[in-house]
Structure formats: structure tokens, C-alpha cells
Amino acid sequence: GAVVSQHPSRVICKSGTSVKIECRSLDFQATTMFWYRQFPKQSLMLMATSNEGSKATYEQGVEKDKFLINHASLTLSTLTVTSAHPEDSSFYICSALDRRSSTDTQYFGPGTRLTVL
Amino acid sequence: QKEVEQDPGPLSVPEGAIVSLNCTYSNSAFQYFMWYRQYSRKGPELLMYTYSSGNKEDGRFTAQVDKSSKYISLFIRDSQPSDSATYLCAMSAVLGSNYKLTFGKGTLLTVNP
């Protein structure tokens, strides 16, 4: 398999502040990364697709001005939750697309638990 | 109707049992099928990857895809307490630049020692 890291693993912040989450592919280059959100006992909800060197593609209903995504290198994508509010509290998971074989495979990071007070 | 249906369980079995996990889907364009395992408060871990119909075996895990019935399964033989986790099925119609996974809700499995 491949390794994807996420940092931080847990963050608590005050309402109105911004929080940045980093996603790194450690042993492969990923031109495409994905950001998901997961509520308790729910499945993963795709928020956006991040492509290196271009603008992210957001899913319907996801506010692009609130969830800023930057994919500045082939191993790093960041998600910034701007002006966070309690309803943004959730588990955020990134994945990186490994295209080294003929079968594209998504490998996931360990997730970041965001709590907004 | 949701694109991917998966019984959320919970499913509780004794150690050593054979576990069967299933998903149905409605989009006939899906060709790539995956099973992920997710431990509590962790990211999903890829278990099995299958293309089109057929069976694939890896150790104690067997993945089956029946495209005619739009039905996929994951079997776990000789289940262990360490298999206790949520199992998510996922599928995609295409690879490449338009690649996108559609997930089931996940089935929570507990294997009791």
C-alpha cells in the first residue's frame, strides 16, 4: 500500500477562527487528492477534489469560500476551514490518488477531528 | 434510491465465524469495486480492490462482484477480534481525471472473543 499522513490529528478552536489541515502523500506523488467529511456513524461525504497546480473542484453544496483547498505540490494538499463555527465540527479525511499501477487507488489519511467551540 | 446501499448493522459474531458483508448499487456504470476497513476515529484502510465481475481472494478475505445483480460481497473467514471495525464498500465508474468514489454507509462489525 501507500502512506498518507494528515496533520493535525485533532484540533480544538474557537468559533470564528481559521484552521488549516495538511494532507501529505509520503511515498508517492499524487496529482489528485480528495477531501472528505464524516459525521458520526455516517459514511464519507466527498467535499472536493484537489488537483495539483489547478483549482479544486467542489461538490454541490460545499462552500468553496469556507473550505479553501490548496494543492501546491505533488505531495501536499491543504484544507483551510475559514471562520469556523460549531456546525463545522466533524472528522475530516483526505485521500491521495495513487496512479502508479493501472488501477487507480485512493489511500486515506488517518483523519483530523475538528471541534469548534 | 441511493446509489450504494449497505446495511449499517451492527453485526456481532463470535471469533472464528465466517462474516458476510454486502452492498447493492444502482449505477450500472460502476466497474471498480473496493472494500475499506475503518477503525474507530481512524481513516479508511484499503482491503480489497476488484475490477468488474468475479472473485478475488487475499488471505482470509474474499471479495465477490456480481455486476448482473449489482451486488458485491466481502467474506471474512476465521474472523478475529482485531477484525472489529466498520467496513465500507466503495465503487467508481471511471479511473483517471474523473475518478470519484461512491461509498456505502458502512457496516459496523464486532467479533467477540
Side-chain angles (χ1 to χ4, degrees), chain B residues 31-82:
Chain B
Q31 299 187 70
Y32 306 92
F33 304 92
M34 283 134 273
W35 286 94
Y36 286 86
R37 176 174 63 194
Q38 186 177 23
Y39 292 111
S40 181
R41 304 189 179 197
K42 301 291 184 183
E45 169 195 8
L46 180 65
L47 276 179
M48 301 288 284
Y49 187 128
T50 313
Y51 168 66
S52 195
S53 287
N55 293 358
K56 185 175 182 179
E57 188 173 321
D58 184 1
R60 296 185 295 111
F61 299 91
T62 300
Q64 285 186 351
V65 174
D66 183 347
K67 290 189 70 180
S68 62
S69 302
K70 297 191 181 68
Y71 188 88
I72 69 171
S73 301
L74 177 71
F75 297 95
I76 307 174
R77 291 183 299 279
D78 187 24
S79 56
Q80 303 294 309
S82 58

Side-chain angles (χ1 to χ4, degrees), chain A residues 38 43 99 104-106 109-110, chain B residues 36 38 43 46 49 96 99-100 104:
Chain A
Q38 187 176 34
S43 190
R99 307 195 66 186
D104 293 352
T105 304
Q106 280 193 42
Chain B
Y36 286 86
Q38 186 177 23
L46 180 65
Y49 187 128
Y99 179 90
K100 185 186 295 188

Side-chain angles (χ1 to χ4, degrees), chain A residues 41-69:
Chain A
K41 300 185 179 180
Q42 298 292 317
S43 190
L44 284 76
M45 182 192 80
L46 180 65
M47 299 175 65
T49 301
S50 166
N51 291 296
E52 188 267 338
S54 63
K55 289 184 178 180
T57 303
Y58 290 82
E59 295 299 301
Q60 193 173 10
V62 178
E63 299 175 61
K64 58 182 67 177
D65 294 331
K66 181 164 188 64
F67 298 100
L68 301 180
I69 292 172

Side-chain angles (χ1 to χ4, degrees), chain A residues 27-41:
Chain A
D27 52 357
F28 67 102
Q29 293 184 329
T31 54
T32 304
M33 292 184 174
F34 303 88
W35 287 96
Y36 293 85
R37 186 172 179 176
Q38 187 176 34
F39 291 104
K41 300 185 179 180

Side-chain angles (χ1 to χ4, degrees), chain A residues 2 15 20 34 40-43 46-47 52 71-72 77 79 89 91 93 95-96 105 107-108 110 112:
Chain A
S15 185
K20 180 186 282 188
F34 303 88
K41 300 185 179 180
Q42 298 292 317
S43 190
L46 180 65
M47 299 175 65
E52 188 267 338
H71 194 157
S77 176
L79 168 69
S89 299
F91 193 50
I93 310 175
S95 71
T105 304
Y107 291 97
F108 286 82
T112 296

